[in-house]
Amino acid sequence: MHRDSPLRWVLPSLYVAAAALGAVWAPALRVGNSAVYARIGLGAEAGFDSGAAPVGEPDDLPRTS
């Protein structure tokens, strides 16, 4: 990379911008949707309810043929 390339400042600035966006988004989420905020970091089995029916194992699915 050349010494005068704008990428020397643009790429690190993107990281800083993403961090700033997260710093703003987290308190907004905590206030606006505290149930979602409370599940952050709990993993996939945190009790997420999308309203869709659960998907079973392939052996549990009805046979169509």
Side-chain angles (χ1 to χ4, degrees):
M1 195 176 310
H2 290 53
R3 188 170 178 90
D4 58 347
S5 173
L7 291 178
R8 291 186 65 195
W9 301 107
V10 171
L11 292 177
S13 298
L14 291 175
Y15 177 77
V16 172
L21 181 64
V24 170
W25 183 252
L29 185 60
R30 182 175 51 205
V31 171
N33 199 344
S34 59
V36 171
Y37 185 83
R39 288 193 307 261
I40 292 174
L42 296 179
E45 302 299 323
F48 175 72
D49 182 20
S50 66
V55 176
E57 294 296 321
D59 292 339
D60 296 339
L61 296 175
R63 304 280 182 211
T64 57
S65 56

